Amino acid sequence: MSDVIRVLLVDDHQVVRRGLRTFLEIQDDIEVVGEAADGPAGVARAEELRPDVVLMDVKMPGGDGVEALRKLRELGNPARVLIITSFTEQRTVVPALRAGAAGYVHKDIDPTALAGAIRSVHAGHVLLQPEVAGALLAQETPYGGSGRGGQLTEREREVLALIARGRSNREIARDLVLSEKTVKTHVSNILMKLDLADRTQAALWAVRHGVAD
């Protein structure tokens, strides 16, 4: 059971939650551990249940997903948050990614692809579609100065480049012939040195400053 991905569903529509639960519960490696109908309730449940992945809507009357993401980050909750939304506009998705989401999918996603997305973010990947990544890069970023890359060691720059290519810690460890624990240490050092909050920001920083080339 240690390989089972524990998922929390946060959506204000009960029918949507029920449909998601029905599909996800037939997956051998995914367990739905709880549900919530708005952002504040989602934060409370995430703190209580400590899921691996939170599948969260953005627009909810009782409290939106972006604010919930910010609160989870403040609390240091380690859950990976995958936004599931019917809103495709960049003005909706970009704030969620800036707030710490590991990626997003549309509510009309194929069920098999949704399960794959959950597995992907759980493995440490960042799911960014090209048009959204472009929108993020086009904006002024409030984090990471252009001169800070000089603080990184050569090995940290190698790790950062692989993060920008969507590699998980396990894949980086394999590519660089390192232990996964060592990779985690490098990732923590990169985030600290560049004053970044998560892998999404690290990937964007790497692209903006040419580390991913």
Side-chain angles (χ1 to χ4, degrees), residues 116-144:
I118 290 172
R119 296 182 184 109
S120 184
V121 298
H122 178 252
H125 295 284
V126 176
L127 299 183
L128 283 179
Q129 294 188 2
E131 70 274 14
V132 174
L136 283 162
L137 289 169
Q139 297 179 9
E140 288 296 323
T141 55
Y143 46 77

PDB file of all heavy atoms in Angstrom, residues 116-144:
ATOM      1  N   GLY A 116      -3.080   9.622 -15.307  1.00  0.00           N
ATOM      2  CA  GLY A 116      -1.671   9.808 -15.656  1.00  0.00           C
ATOM      3  C   GLY A 116      -1.123  11.117 -15.131  1.00  0.00           C
ATOM      4  O   GLY A 116       0.030  11.190 -14.679  1.00  0.00           O
ATOM      5  N   ALA A 117      -1.946  12.178 -15.164  1.00  0.00           N
ATOM      6  CA  ALA A 117      -1.517  13.484 -14.651  1.00  0.00           C
ATOM      7  C   ALA A 117      -1.289  13.422 -13.144  1.00  0.00           C
ATOM      8  O   ALA A 117      -0.330  14.012 -12.629  1.00  0.00           O
ATOM      9  CB  ALA A 117      -2.563  14.539 -14.986  1.00  0.00           C
ATOM     10  N   ILE A 118      -2.154  12.728 -12.437  1.00  0.00           N
ATOM     11  CA  ILE A 118      -1.987  12.575 -10.987  1.00  0.00           C
ATOM     12  C   ILE A 118      -0.686  11.837 -10.684  1.00  0.00           C
ATOM     13  O   ILE A 118       0.087  12.239  -9.806  1.00  0.00           O
ATOM     14  CB  ILE A 118      -3.194  11.825 -10.385  1.00  0.00           C
ATOM     15  CG1 ILE A 118      -4.444  12.716 -10.432  1.00  0.00           C
ATOM     16  CG2 ILE A 118      -2.907  11.386  -8.947  1.00  0.00           C
ATOM     17  CD1 ILE A 118      -5.723  12.007 -10.048  1.00  0.00           C
ATOM     18  N   ARG A 119      -0.439  10.772 -11.416  1.00  0.00           N
ATOM     19  CA  ARG A 119       0.810  10.023 -11.207  1.00  0.00           C
ATOM     20  C   ARG A 119       2.024  10.889 -11.527  1.00  0.00           C
ATOM     21  O   ARG A 119       3.056  10.816 -10.857  1.00  0.00           O
ATOM     22  CB  ARG A 119       0.815   8.769 -12.083  1.00  0.00           C
ATOM     23  CG  ARG A 119      -0.273   7.766 -11.723  1.00  0.00           C
ATOM     24  CD  ARG A 119      -0.198   6.511 -12.596  1.00  0.00           C
ATOM     25  NE  ARG A 119      -1.305   5.611 -12.292  1.00  0.00           N
ATOM     26  CZ  ARG A 119      -2.339   5.394 -13.103  1.00  0.00           C
ATOM     27  NH1 ARG A 119      -2.399   5.996 -14.296  1.00  0.00           N
ATOM     28  NH2 ARG A 119      -3.295   4.566 -12.743  1.00  0.00           N
ATOM     29  N   SER A 120       1.888  11.723 -12.551  1.00  0.00           N
ATOM     30  CA  SER A 120       3.009  12.553 -12.987  1.00  0.00           C
ATOM     31  C   SER A 120       3.382  13.605 -11.945  1.00  0.00           C
ATOM     32  O   SER A 120       4.558  13.751 -11.597  1.00  0.00           O
ATOM     33  CB  SER A 120       2.654  13.224 -14.320  1.00  0.00           C
ATOM     34  OG  SER A 120       3.742  13.965 -14.811  1.00  0.00           O
ATOM     35  N   VAL A 121       2.378  14.332 -11.429  1.00  0.00           N
ATOM     36  CA  VAL A 121       2.710  15.359 -10.436  1.00  0.00           C
ATOM     37  C   VAL A 121       3.185  14.723  -9.141  1.00  0.00           C
ATOM     38  O   VAL A 121       4.035  15.270  -8.434  1.00  0.00           O
ATOM     39  CB  VAL A 121       1.533  16.329 -10.176  1.00  0.00           C
ATOM     40  CG1 VAL A 121       1.159  17.082 -11.431  1.00  0.00           C
ATOM     41  CG2 VAL A 121       0.327  15.618  -9.589  1.00  0.00           C
ATOM     42  N   HIS A 122       2.647  13.540  -8.818  1.00  0.00           N
ATOM     43  CA  HIS A 122       3.111  12.839  -7.621  1.00  0.00           C
ATOM     44  C   HIS A 122       4.573  12.451  -7.748  1.00  0.00           C
ATOM     45  O   HIS A 122       5.327  12.455  -6.761  1.00  0.00           O
ATOM     46  CB  HIS A 122       2.249  11.592  -7.374  1.00  0.00           C
ATOM     47  CG  HIS A 122       2.678  10.786  -6.194  1.00  0.00           C
ATOM     48  ND1 HIS A 122       3.289   9.554  -6.296  1.00  0.00           N
ATOM     49  CD2 HIS A 122       2.591  11.047  -4.859  1.00  0.00           C
ATOM     50  CE1 HIS A 122       3.562   9.093  -5.091  1.00  0.00           C
ATOM     51  NE2 HIS A 122       3.144   9.982  -4.208  1.00  0.00           N
ATOM     52  N   ALA A 123       4.999  12.133  -8.976  1.00  0.00           N
ATOM     53  CA  ALA A 123       6.393  11.752  -9.221  1.00  0.00           C
ATOM     54  C   ALA A 123       7.334  12.952  -9.229  1.00  0.00           C
ATOM     55  O   ALA A 123       8.545  12.798  -9.306  1.00  0.00           O
ATOM     56  CB  ALA A 123       6.504  11.006 -10.548  1.00  0.00           C
ATOM     57  N   GLY A 124       6.762  14.167  -9.159  1.00  0.00           N
ATOM     58  CA  GLY A 124       7.591  15.366  -9.115  1.00  0.00           C
ATOM     59  C   GLY A 124       7.616  16.177 -10.382  1.00  0.00           C
ATOM     60  O   GLY A 124       8.326  17.179 -10.471  1.00  0.00           O
ATOM     61  N   HIS A 125       6.837  15.780 -11.384  1.00  0.00           N
ATOM     62  CA  HIS A 125       6.802  16.535 -12.634  1.00  0.00           C
ATOM     63  C   HIS A 125       5.983  17.817 -12.479  1.00  0.00           C
ATOM     64  O   HIS A 125       5.111  17.920 -11.614  1.00  0.00           O
ATOM     65  CB  HIS A 125       6.183  15.695 -13.753  1.00  0.00           C
ATOM     66  CG  HIS A 125       6.999  14.498 -14.121  1.00  0.00           C
ATOM     67  ND1 HIS A 125       8.150  14.568 -14.869  1.00  0.00           N
ATOM     68  CD2 HIS A 125       6.846  13.180 -13.831  1.00  0.00           C
ATOM     69  CE1 HIS A 125       8.661  13.369 -15.031  1.00  0.00           C
ATOM     70  NE2 HIS A 125       7.885  12.503 -14.405  1.00  0.00           N
ATOM     71  N   VAL A 126       6.265  18.778 -13.331  1.00  0.00           N
ATOM     72  CA  VAL A 126       5.485  20.004 -13.435  1.00  0.00           C
ATOM     73  C   VAL A 126       4.754  19.964 -14.777  1.00  0.00           C
ATOM     74  O   VAL A 126       5.381  19.807 -15.823  1.00  0.00           O
ATOM     75  CB  VAL A 126       6.389  21.254 -13.365  1.00  0.00           C
ATOM     76  CG1 VAL A 126       5.576  22.521 -13.584  1.00  0.00           C
ATOM     77  CG2 VAL A 126       7.103  21.316 -12.019  1.00  0.00           C
ATOM     78  N   LEU A 127       3.426  20.057 -14.732  1.00  0.00           N
ATOM     79  CA  LEU A 127       2.626  19.983 -15.953  1.00  0.00           C
ATOM     80  C   LEU A 127       2.289  21.389 -16.433  1.00  0.00           C
ATOM     81  O   LEU A 127       1.378  22.035 -15.929  1.00  0.00           O
ATOM     82  CB  LEU A 127       1.338  19.194 -15.697  1.00  0.00           C
ATOM     83  CG  LEU A 127       1.501  17.738 -15.249  1.00  0.00           C
ATOM     84  CD1 LEU A 127       0.144  17.078 -15.111  1.00  0.00           C
ATOM     85  CD2 LEU A 127       2.367  16.954 -16.235  1.00  0.00           C
ATOM     86  N   LEU A 128       3.047  21.860 -17.406  1.00  0.00           N
ATOM     87  CA  LEU A 128       2.829  23.189 -17.962  1.00  0.00           C
ATOM     88  C   LEU A 128       2.611  23.088 -19.458  1.00  0.00           C
ATOM     89  O   LEU A 128       3.487  22.616 -20.175  1.00  0.00           O
ATOM     90  CB  LEU A 128       4.039  24.092 -17.705  1.00  0.00           C
ATOM     91  CG  LEU A 128       4.222  24.675 -16.306  1.00  0.00           C
ATOM     92  CD1 LEU A 128       5.492  25.509 -16.277  1.00  0.00           C
ATOM     93  CD2 LEU A 128       3.037  25.526 -15.914  1.00  0.00           C
ATOM     94  N   GLN A 129       1.460  23.513 -19.945  1.00  0.00           N
ATOM     95  CA  GLN A 129       1.249  23.570 -21.379  1.00  0.00           C
ATOM     96  C   GLN A 129       2.004  24.774 -21.943  1.00  0.00           C
ATOM     97  O   GLN A 129       2.157  25.789 -21.262  1.00  0.00           O
ATOM     98  CB  GLN A 129      -0.246  23.654 -21.686  1.00  0.00           C
ATOM     99  CG  GLN A 129      -0.990  22.389 -21.292  1.00  0.00           C
ATOM    100  CD  GLN A 129      -2.425  22.389 -21.761  1.00  0.00           C
ATOM    101  OE1 GLN A 129      -2.868  23.313 -22.420  1.00  0.00           O
ATOM    102  NE2 GLN A 129      -3.151  21.348 -21.406  1.00  0.00           N
ATOM    103  N   PRO A 130       2.495  24.682 -23.173  1.00  0.00           N
ATOM    104  CA  PRO A 130       3.370  25.718 -23.732  1.00  0.00           C
ATOM    105  C   PRO A 130       2.797  27.127 -23.665  1.00  0.00           C
ATOM    106  O   PRO A 130       3.509  28.076 -23.333  1.00  0.00           O
ATOM    107  CB  PRO A 130       3.552  25.261 -25.190  1.00  0.00           C
ATOM    108  CG  PRO A 130       3.378  23.779 -25.138  1.00  0.00           C
ATOM    109  CD  PRO A 130       2.333  23.541 -24.092  1.00  0.00           C
ATOM    110  N   GLU A 131       1.489  27.275 -23.961  1.00  0.00           N
ATOM    111  CA  GLU A 131       0.932  28.628 -23.970  1.00  0.00           C
ATOM    112  C   GLU A 131       0.888  29.243 -22.580  1.00  0.00           C
ATOM    113  O   GLU A 131       1.050  30.452 -22.400  1.00  0.00           O
ATOM    114  CB  GLU A 131      -0.471  28.628 -24.602  1.00  0.00           C
ATOM    115  CG  GLU A 131      -1.561  27.952 -23.778  1.00  0.00           C
ATOM    116  CD  GLU A 131      -1.650  26.451 -24.019  1.00  0.00           C
ATOM    117  OE1 GLU A 131      -0.696  25.896 -24.627  1.00  0.00           O
ATOM    118  OE2 GLU A 131      -2.644  25.849 -23.609  1.00  0.00           O
ATOM    119  N   VAL A 132       0.705  28.405 -21.563  1.00  0.00           N
ATOM    120  CA  VAL A 132       0.673  28.910 -20.185  1.00  0.00           C
ATOM    121  C   VAL A 132       2.093  29.220 -19.716  1.00  0.00           C
ATOM    122  O   VAL A 132       2.334  30.229 -19.050  1.00  0.00           O
ATOM    123  CB  VAL A 132      -0.019  27.911 -19.252  1.00  0.00           C
ATOM    124  CG1 VAL A 132       0.084  28.370 -17.796  1.00  0.00           C
ATOM    125  CG2 VAL A 132      -1.483  27.758 -19.644  1.00  0.00           C
ATOM    126  N   ALA A 133       3.041  28.371 -20.055  1.00  0.00           N
ATOM    127  CA  ALA A 133       4.432  28.649 -19.707  1.00  0.00           C
ATOM    128  C   ALA A 133       4.875  29.964 -20.338  1.00  0.00           C
ATOM    129  O   ALA A 133       5.555  30.779 -19.708  1.00  0.00           O
ATOM    130  CB  ALA A 133       5.335  27.511 -20.180  1.00  0.00           C
ATOM    131  N   GLY A 134       4.452  30.189 -21.572  1.00  0.00           N
ATOM    132  CA  GLY A 134       4.790  31.446 -22.239  1.00  0.00           C
ATOM    133  C   GLY A 134       4.197  32.642 -21.542  1.00  0.00           C
ATOM    134  O   GLY A 134       4.839  33.682 -21.407  1.00  0.00           O
ATOM    135  N   ALA A 135       2.963  32.502 -21.071  1.00  0.00           N
ATOM    136  CA  ALA A 135       2.311  33.607 -20.359  1.00  0.00           C
ATOM    137  C   ALA A 135       3.038  33.913 -19.055  1.00  0.00           C
ATOM    138  O   ALA A 135       3.211  35.071 -18.678  1.00  0.00           O
ATOM    139  CB  ALA A 135       0.849  33.263 -20.083  1.00  0.00           C
ATOM    140  N   LEU A 136       3.475  32.869 -18.367  1.00  0.00           N
ATOM    141  CA  LEU A 136       4.209  33.077 -17.122  1.00  0.00           C
ATOM    142  C   LEU A 136       5.536  33.774 -17.383  1.00  0.00           C
ATOM    143  O   LEU A 136       5.929  34.695 -16.672  1.00  0.00           O
ATOM    144  CB  LEU A 136       4.448  31.730 -16.439  1.00  0.00           C
ATOM    145  CG  LEU A 136       3.259  31.118 -15.705  1.00  0.00           C
ATOM    146  CD1 LEU A 136       3.496  29.635 -15.458  1.00  0.00           C
ATOM    147  CD2 LEU A 136       3.009  31.829 -14.390  1.00  0.00           C
ATOM    148  N   LEU A 137       6.229  33.342 -18.419  1.00  0.00           N
ATOM    149  CA  LEU A 137       7.530  33.921 -18.728  1.00  0.00           C
ATOM    150  C   LEU A 137       7.419  35.364 -19.218  1.00  0.00           C
ATOM    151  O   LEU A 137       8.330  36.165 -19.036  1.00  0.00           O
ATOM    152  CB  LEU A 137       8.240  33.077 -19.786  1.00  0.00           C
ATOM    153  CG  LEU A 137       8.736  31.711 -19.309  1.00  0.00           C
ATOM    154  CD1 LEU A 137       9.175  30.863 -20.493  1.00  0.00           C
ATOM    155  CD2 LEU A 137       9.876  31.879 -18.315  1.00  0.00           C
ATOM    156  N   ALA A 138       6.293  35.676 -19.840  1.00  0.00           N
ATOM    157  CA  ALA A 138       6.105  37.019 -20.388  1.00  0.00           C
ATOM    158  C   ALA A 138       5.846  38.047 -19.302  1.00  0.00           C
ATOM    159  O   ALA A 138       6.018  39.244 -19.517  1.00  0.00           O
ATOM    160  CB  ALA A 138       4.944  37.017 -21.386  1.00  0.00           C
ATOM    161  N   GLN A 139       5.436  37.594 -18.132  1.00  0.00           N
ATOM    162  CA  GLN A 139       5.106  38.515 -17.049  1.00  0.00           C
ATOM    163  C   GLN A 139       6.344  38.824 -16.228  1.00  0.00           C
ATOM    164  O   GLN A 139       7.306  38.068 -16.189  1.00  0.00           O
ATOM    165  CB  GLN A 139       4.020  37.910 -16.149  1.00  0.00           C
ATOM    166  CG  GLN A 139       2.709  37.674 -16.869  1.00  0.00           C
ATOM    167  CD  GLN A 139       1.677  37.061 -15.938  1.00  0.00           C
ATOM    168  OE1 GLN A 139       1.889  36.974 -14.740  1.00  0.00           O
ATOM    169  NE2 GLN A 139       0.565  36.650 -16.498  1.00  0.00           N
ATOM    170  N   GLU A 140       6.294  39.937 -15.552  1.00  0.00           N
ATOM    171  CA  GLU A 140       7.370  40.250 -14.609  1.00  0.00           C
ATOM    172  C   GLU A 140       7.257  39.300 -13.442  1.00  0.00           C
ATOM    173  O   GLU A 140       6.209  39.174 -12.821  1.00  0.00           O
ATOM    174  CB  GLU A 140       7.246  41.691 -14.106  1.00  0.00           C
ATOM    175  CG  GLU A 140       7.607  42.722 -15.148  1.00  0.00           C
ATOM    176  CD  GLU A 140       9.062  42.623 -15.564  1.00  0.00           C
ATOM    177  OE1 GLU A 140       9.901  42.349 -14.684  1.00  0.00           O
ATOM    178  OE2 GLU A 140       9.350  42.797 -16.752  1.00  0.00           O
ATOM    179  N   THR A 141       8.322  38.596 -13.120  1.00  0.00           N
ATOM    180  CA  THR A 141       8.285  37.641 -12.019  1.00  0.00           C
ATOM    181  C   THR A 141       8.747  38.310 -10.735  1.00  0.00           C
ATOM    182  O   THR A 141       9.762  38.996 -10.715  1.00  0.00           O
ATOM    183  CB  THR A 141       9.196  36.440 -12.315  1.00  0.00           C
ATOM    184  OG1 THR A 141      10.507  36.926 -12.593  1.00  0.00           O
ATOM    185  CG2 THR A 141       8.695  35.661 -13.503  1.00  0.00           C
ATOM    186  N   PRO A 142       8.037  38.081  -9.624  1.00  0.00           N
ATOM    187  CA  PRO A 142       8.408  38.687  -8.360  1.00  0.00           C
ATOM    188  C   PRO A 142       9.450  37.898  -7.601  1.00  0.00           C
ATOM    189  O   PRO A 142       9.685  38.136  -6.439  1.00  0.00           O
ATOM    190  CB  PRO A 142       7.073  38.675  -7.590  1.00  0.00           C
ATOM    191  CG  PRO A 142       6.396  37.451  -8.084  1.00  0.00           C
ATOM    192  CD  PRO A 142       6.789  37.334  -9.535  1.00  0.00           C
ATOM    193  N   TYR A 143      10.058  36.911  -8.241  1.00  0.00           N
ATOM    194  CA  TYR A 143      11.006  36.073  -7.520  1.00  0.00           C
ATOM    195  C   TYR A 143      12.228  35.846  -8.395  1.00  0.00           C
ATOM    196  O   TYR A 143      12.164  35.827  -9.608  1.00  0.00           O
ATOM    197  CB  TYR A 143      10.354  34.725  -7.166  1.00  0.00           C
ATOM    198  CG  TYR A 143       9.605  34.101  -8.307  1.00  0.00           C
ATOM    199  CD1 TYR A 143      10.273  33.450  -9.344  1.00  0.00           C
ATOM    200  CD2 TYR A 143       8.219  34.196  -8.383  1.00  0.00           C
ATOM    201  CE1 TYR A 143       9.574  32.905 -10.397  1.00  0.00           C
ATOM    202  CE2 TYR A 143       7.524  33.650  -9.448  1.00  0.00           C
ATOM    203  CZ  TYR A 143       8.207  33.008 -10.437  1.00  0.00           C
ATOM    204  OH  TYR A 143       7.525  32.461 -11.489  1.00  0.00           O
ATOM    205  N   GLY A 144      13.372  35.612  -7.752  1.00  0.00           N
ATOM    206  CA  GLY A 144      14.571  35.225  -8.470  1.00  0.00           C
ATOM    207  C   GLY A 144      15.205  36.334  -9.277  1.00  0.00           C
ATOM    208  O   GLY A 144      14.722  36.685 -10.333  1.00  0.00           O
TER     209      GLY A 144
END
